[in-house]
Amino acid sequence: MASNADLSALFEEFASILEILGANKFKVIAFQKVARALDAMADDAATLAATKGALEAIEGIGASSAAKIREYVETGTIAELDELRFQVPPGLRELLGISGIGPKTISLLWKERGVTDKTTLKAKLATGELAGIKGFGEKKLQNIAEALTLAEQSAGRIRLGAALPIAEAVVERMERVPGVQRVAYAGSLRRGKETIGDVDILCASSDPPSAHAVFRSMPEIVKVLVSGDTKTSVITSRGVQIDLRTLPLASFGAALMYFTGSKEHNVRLRERAISMGYRLNEYGLFVDDGKEGPQHRGIEPVVSATEEEVFAKLGLPWVPPELREDRGELAQAMPKLIELGDLKAELHAHTRASDGSMTIDELILAAQAKGFHTVAITDHSKSSFQANGLSPERLREHIKAVHEAAARHPTMTVLAGSEVDILIDGRLDYEDELLGKLDIVVASPHASLRQETAVAMKRLLKAIEHPSVRILGHPSGRIVNGRSGLDLDVRELVAAAKEHDVALEINANPLRLDLRDSHVKAAMEGGALLAINCDSHERDNLDLARYGVLTGRRGWLTAERCVNTWDRERLRRWLKRG
DNA sequence: GCCGTTTTCGGCCCGACTGTTTTCAGTCG
């Protein structure tokens, strides 16, 4: 069975081989776009392949790519790709991932000096064999050597939960630099992506050199990659790349749009600008006079100061950053997305009874401090013995303890619940009689997370159909940058959740973010309810909610469809089924 | 390779920084 991820990887491979071979760059971009489309889509491409025209209907996938997908689904191979693989040493592809080394460089290293992978590159750098290639000076070779070392030390794509605090700290530091008028982080971080390649910081300043100097001298910097009048890139001791861009305050809005991206979204915007007789860049929206670089020719932009103005001049409403992925955000009416302040309940939290560090009372107070009206105590069930899951006897005691604690906090609605393991065959981890005593059941998969899709779906659907279950917790069990978890048939999951009035959780812990953004979009399209829960284990874990909200917003989530935003009575009625 | 209320062919976003190039190519985002 060909998963979307498999197919996406094949098209990535197509693109990278063609790139090294020096094929038409637009063809390369087209294949990369197909790879992204496959990765982001909720439907199963292999299933769509059976329906005539279904693949071709997807933006970015044309007749040629559709045929390749069908060929792979039917034969398990793509003849054209097999042929290409013969033409390029497989080890060259990994060199493409090294920052600063591109396809042209790789091609020359290969053809002129027989470099075939990282190992031969390193060896030939050491022996000096690479000298004398046309266009390769001493500095360039030195940069290649450093890039290779940096790639080995690089943290790769880091999780949202790691990147956001780094960015906020840099923003705070830059705000104190004399001459600085405004600072913001941009890039995929501002879009709330689950992993971040590098941190982009924008800075409006009357004294850019000072801003760059301060930025370069931050204590955690181990290497300055580039530094010019408007751009400095550095690497921190933890292997994270941070880029600083300085710009005039007057163009802050245009720059914020430009550097927030995504790339595809920007391309769409610029195409739109062209069709309206404009030229859009990071300095503003200009009347197009057919010549490049209007900002260098003393031409004033039509608009540039704020994002709202630029969008408006392009005939568009302001688009929330989380939606800027070229997934229809410029073409269709956007909903009012959920906001952090909309959350009024935490429905998945652990205490010392299982593997949390807070007492029941501490958890209630933490929820109260967030302005919530409801908190659910949902410790682990017995099969999660690694998490000190509760035996039926302990759970009965715990329910009593929760009720007693609830009496001490009369303004809060405190629910006695459980995060019940969904066992390997879909049965729940407690008897129905005991489940019936709970105010809320969050059913979650914790073990056997490598099941085939069909088996996993049967398991999850059985849990959804159980009359006690109200929330399906972290449905896939994936760990961002860790394990892929269950390969869900999201459409099927969403349909079942809707039918049985079960909310699908967006687990806000940045390690999980499960459901992920594209799954949330599918849930929104399919009419299911969602829940944003912090899965609190430690003090301050309720602060993780923002990552769940970002993920929800990326999936076009509205407050109305998220049960955590409902008022106390509505939530209570929903929990008391029927 | 993809796409189309100007196009089924001819486009396909735009600028900064670096190195080695005396006018630009490669790379990045």
Side-chain angles (χ1 to χ4, degrees):
Chain A
M1 180 74 173
S3 72
N4 288 0
D6 296 338
L7 284 162
S8 176
L10 290 173
F11 279 90
E12 279 292 347
E13 190 180 354
F14 248 120
S16 54
I17 294 176
L18 288 173
E19 212 176 0
I20 293 168
L21 287 173
N24 180 308
K25 64 176 174 174
F26 297 109
K27 186 171 174 177
V28 173
I29 291 169
F31 275 133
Q32 287 169 340
K33 195 168 179 183
V34 172
R36 275 196 305 274
L38 285 165
D39 187 52
M41 63 194 256
D43 291 301
D44 182 46
T47 308
L48 290 185
T51 308
K52 192 169 159 55
L55 287 169
E56 290 88 340
I58 296 161
E59 169 96 35
I61 299 182
S64 168
S65 295
K68 290 182 176 68
I69 293 170
R70 293 206 177 86
E71 182 186 350
Y72 187 76
V73 171
E74 286 162 17
T75 68
T77 178
I78 301 174
E80 195 180 328
L81 181 58
D82 289 341
E83 210 163 295
L84 281 173
R85 281 171 175 153
F86 274 112
Q87 297 181 38
V88 174
L92 287 184
R93 288 189 58 216
E94 66 185 7
L95 296 180
L96 275 176
I98 298 171
S99 182
I101 303 180
K104 298 291 196 298
T105 303
I106 292 171
S107 180
L108 278 174
L109 288 169
W110 170 42
K111 288 174 180 162
E112 300 284 327
R113 293 293 188 272
V115 168
T116 56
D117 53 22
K118 266 187 201 168
T119 312
T120 51
L121 174 57
K122 211 183 289 183
K124 286 172 194 287
L125 274 167
T127 58
E129 278 177 72
L130 301 181
I133 304 177
K134 185 162 173 275
F136 281 47
E138 194 179 329
K139 185 76 187 175
K140 174 147 183 158
L141 288 174
Q142 192 184 327
N143 284 346
I144 292 174
E146 283 183 12
L148 204 51
T149 309
L150 276 174
E152 284 168 357
Q153 294 166 354
S154 167
R157 289 193 72 84
I158 59 170
R159 294 187 194 104
L160 179 60
L164 194 49
I166 291 173
E168 287 170 337
V170 174
V171 166
E172 200 178 305
R173 190 150 14 170
M174 295 309 298
E175 278 172 342
R176 296 198 303 264
V177 177
V180 167
Q181 299 143 322
R182 210 174 147 196
V183 191
Y185 57 82
S188 52
L189 183 57
R190 183 163 177 246
R191 303 201 308 279
K193 277 197 77 169
E194 62 192 37
T195 62
I196 309 299
D198 52 36
V199 174
D200 293 304
I201 308 289
L202 290 192
C203 177
S205 172
S206 59
D207 181 12
S210 292
H212 287 280
V214 168
F215 182 71
R216 282 193 305 265
S217 62
M218 292 189 301
E220 66 270 34
I221 304 305
V222 294
K223 165 117 181 116
V224 178
L225 295 173
V226 298
S227 192
D229 295 339
T230 67
K231 173 182 173 176
T232 296
S233 292
V234 300
I235 301 279
T236 71
S237 55
R238 302 176 101 177
V240 178
Q241 180 173 335
I242 311 179
D243 297 345
L244 177 74
R245 316 258 180 172
T246 50
L247 52 130
L249 185 59
S251 51
F252 202 83
L256 197 52
M257 284 175 69
Y258 184 86
F259 291 110
T260 296
S262 66
K263 193 172 170 178
E264 294 75 24
H265 170 89
N266 282 353
V267 169
R268 284 268 179 232
L269 279 182
R270 288 195 288 265
E271 285 170 355
R272 186 181 180 99
I274 289 168
S275 74
M276 296 171 77
Y278 295 119
R279 168 184 284 257
L280 178 62
N281 62 28
E282 61 264 52
Y283 297 98
L285 184 70
F286 297 85
V287 172
D288 188 11
D289 58 3
K291 285 181 274 189
E292 291 187 353
Q295 65 277 9
H296 297 308
R297 293 182 278 122
I299 296 172
E300 287 295 314
V302 182
V303 282
S304 63
T306 68
E307 289 192 334
E308 286 81 355
E309 288 173 85
V310 179
F311 275 115
K313 207 70 193 172
L314 291 170
L316 296 164
W318 179 79
V319 178
E322 298 90 342
L323 300 189
R324 301 180 193 173
E325 296 287 350
D326 190 25
R327 292 187 193 143
E329 68 275 9
L330 302 184
Q332 49 188 292
M334 285 174 297
K336 170 147 178 20
L337 302 179
I338 188 170
E339 292 172 15
L340 186 58
D342 293 329
L343 297 181
K344 295 295 175 209
E346 167 67 15
L347 300 174
H348 179 173
H350 300 268
T351 70
R352 289 182 189 172
S354 58
D355 62 347
S357 67
M358 287 191 278
T359 63
I360 299 170
D361 287 276
E362 286 168 341
L363 193 47
I364 295 169
L365 290 172
Q368 191 167 33
K370 285 283 174 196
F372 290 178
H373 54 64
T374 297
V375 59
I377 312 297
T378 59
D379 279 294
H380 286 284
S381 63
K382 64 180 195 295
S383 290
S384 280
F385 49 86
Q386 79 289 351
N388 190 24
L390 276 57
S391 66
E393 296 70 34
R394 287 183 62 214
L395 177 57
R396 286 177 206 279
E397 289 300 311
H398 194 47
I399 293 171
K400 215 179 292 173
V402 171
H403 287 157
E404 286 164 12
R408 292 191 287 274
H409 305 274
T411 63
M412 291 290 289
T413 297
V414 181
L415 304 171
S418 173
E419 185 189 14
V420 181
D421 267 45
I422 303 173
L423 303 178
I424 189 163
D425 58 357
R427 282 180 300 122
L428 298 184
D429 201 18
Y430 292 123
E431 297 298 326
D432 288 355
E433 177 270 332
L434 183 50
L435 291 172
K437 291 199 181 328
L438 295 166
D439 301 322
I440 182 170
V441 171
V442 178
S444 311
H446 285 107
S448 299
L449 298 174
R450 292 166 172 270
Q451 290 172 316
E452 290 283 319
T453 302
V455 181
M457 289 310 298
K458 205 173 158 198
R459 175 188 187 185
L460 295 181
L461 294 190
K462 188 166 176 185
I464 287 175
E465 287 160 11
H466 193 288
S468 292
V469 173
R470 298 274 60 190
I471 295 176
L472 188 67
H474 49 73
S476 80
R478 67 110 175 226
I479 298 292
V480 177
N481 273 0
R483 66 173 177 235
S484 53
L486 300 171
D487 184 21
L488 307 175
D489 180 334
V490 185
R491 302 275 183 215
E492 195 181 6
L493 188 76
V494 166
K498 184 181 184 203
E499 184 189 343
H500 295 279
D501 202 17
V502 165
L504 299 172
E505 181 178 84
I506 301 169
N507 192 294
N509 190 314
L511 286 171
R512 292 191 180 275
L513 296 179
D514 178 15
L515 300 177
R516 60 176 279 190
D517 52 8
S518 57
H519 291 163
V520 177
K521 184 100 189 284
M524 289 304 292
E525 288 163 4
L529 291 172
L530 292 122
I532 294 179
N533 290 323
C534 295
D535 195 355
S536 290
H537 284 78
E538 316 283 335
R539 195 170 300 282
D540 300 333
N541 271 181
L542 290 180
D543 293 341
L544 301 178
R546 60 176 175 163
Y547 303 112
V549 170
L550 282 169
T551 300
R553 288 169 63 88
R554 287 179 60 78
W556 298 54
L557 178 62
T558 60
E560 168 62 22
R561 291 278 286 282
C562 175
V563 297
N564 308 68
T565 71
W566 294 354
D567 66 45
R568 192 192 305 256
E569 273 314 305
R570 184 176 178 192
L571 185 58
R572 199 200 303 262
R573 282 198 304 276
W574 177 71
L575 288 167
K576 290 194 174 180
R577 186 182 289 267

